[in-house]
Amino acid sequence: MRRAILTLLGALLIAQPAFGEIARIKRSMGNATVQRDGASLTLQPGFLLLTGDTLVTGKDGQISLTFADDSRFSIGPDSHISVDRFEYNARSQTGEFVTRINHGSLAIVSGQIARSKQDAMKVRTPTSLLGVRGTRFIVEVPQ
Amino acid sequence: MSPLRLVPVLIVSVLSACATGPSLILLTSEEGKQGSVAVLEHDGIRSDDVIDELNSWTNLSGRPHSSSIDPAKLDTRLRRLLEDLPPAPVYRTLYFLEGTTRITPDSVPNLEFLKSEIARRPGAEVLVTGYTDTVGSSDDNDELSQRRAEEILKGLVEQGIAISMMSAVGRGERELLDKTRDNVSSALNRRVVVTVR
């Protein structure tokens, strides 16, 4: 029975990425969690991020992750960062991406979504809304 | 107040803005290319400022002003943040023997390279994208490209790579490598691109 379920899962995975998956955690250190529906989830490499998740790090925390459109994030200590919107069509390589930095530090290398249409990738801070038009930058929001 | 006495006051306010407000550091891309970030809103006001000065620091509270920085002199904390970015995804193209879903002998070393990249990246994700040439209808080619991608994925599973880290998509005759007219057979276009993130 278990084997049959695994085979079925495998068949589904061949057709498309895991349902709702938007990014994978590559590395996490120290105090680092994902908050989802009121629960605080522990991270390990390969952890699948979903839209609406909030990434939280403590004093010694760090998280690295890569999104389905090849965007890459590095999150520093004492951060609270939410992915409010991530829609990506792998076939047309277009989409919409909105990240909100409540506080903390975030290094970004933008990917396909930022390339697909002007300001399709946005970053919100408590004082501003940014339209990402390319490549590598750091946003810091002191607590 | 004389203009001279204003200067120290201004310096103090700029420094305190650096220390307390949200800010942006724009760097060159990893390939050394130009990029930019638009400030669409600040403090609830719509804006059309575009930050395009590479290697610059910009305040994100109040009207944005950029000043140059030396990326070699970033503090340890920020250097660490950049070093912790995941490695850039790698791509390799595999070509197909005509009329088969078998790859050409030339493509075998690329497949070996991909396997080693998957092994050295914790939490890796493997995306297999199939393409076709322009022979046949675009709907049929969407399906054929999907089958080619799934064939490569099956091969990787047989070599011990977990299926849970992989997915396949077919893009048919979109993005031709060899920009042919419709209904032209092309070995260059019959391909699968494997991305390892």
Side-chain angles (χ1 to χ4, degrees), chain B residues 18-31:
Chain B
C18 292
T20 58
S23 61
L24 174 106
I25 294 173
L26 183 66
L27 300 162
T28 52
S29 77
E30 287 153 312
E31 307 83 37

Side-chain angles (χ1 to χ4, degrees), chain A residues 47-111:
Chain A
F47 179 97
L48 305 182
L49 203 72
L50 306 180
T51 302
D53 282 352
T54 301
L55 297 134
V56 181
T57 56
K59 229 188 237 323
D60 59 346
Q62 186 276 332
I63 306 172
S64 309
L65 61 158
T66 302
F67 285 83
D69 77 324
D70 292 348
S71 297
R72 289 174 277 147
F73 279 15
S74 166
I75 298 172
D78 287 321
S79 298
H80 191 280
I81 294 167
S82 306
V83 181
D84 287 345
R85 189 166 177 203
F86 186 95
E87 285 157 26
Y88 182 59
N89 182 330
R91 190 162 277 178
S92 62
Q93 298 183 333
T94 58
E96 299 277 340
F97 190 174
V98 182
T99 304
R100 184 160 39 94
I101 308 178
N102 296 304
H103 59 82
S105 53
L106 172 62
I108 296 180
V109 176
S110 62

Side-chain angles (χ1 to χ4, degrees), chain B residues 111-131:
Chain B
L111 196 58
E112 291 304 313
F113 168 80
L114 290 163
K115 275 161 51 193
S116 68
E117 279 297 314
I118 296 166
R120 76 176 189 90
R121 291 175 183 236
E125 179 187 8
V126 181
L127 180 66
V128 186
T129 311
Y131 301 87

Side-chain angles (χ1 to χ4, degrees), chain A residues 26-27 64 68 70 74 91, chain B residues 30 43 81 84 123 171 197:
Chain A
K26 301 299 180 187
R27 197 169 79 142
S64 309
D70 292 348
S74 166
R91 190 162 277 178
Chain B
E30 287 153 312
D43 312 288
L81 195 66
D84 286 340
R171 302 196 71 220
R197 285 195 195 107

Side-chain angles (χ1 to χ4, degrees), chain B residues 157-168:
Chain B
V157 170
E158 278 160 17
Q159 305 208 22
I161 293 160
I163 195 161
S164 61
M165 59 168 72
M166 299 195 280
S167 62

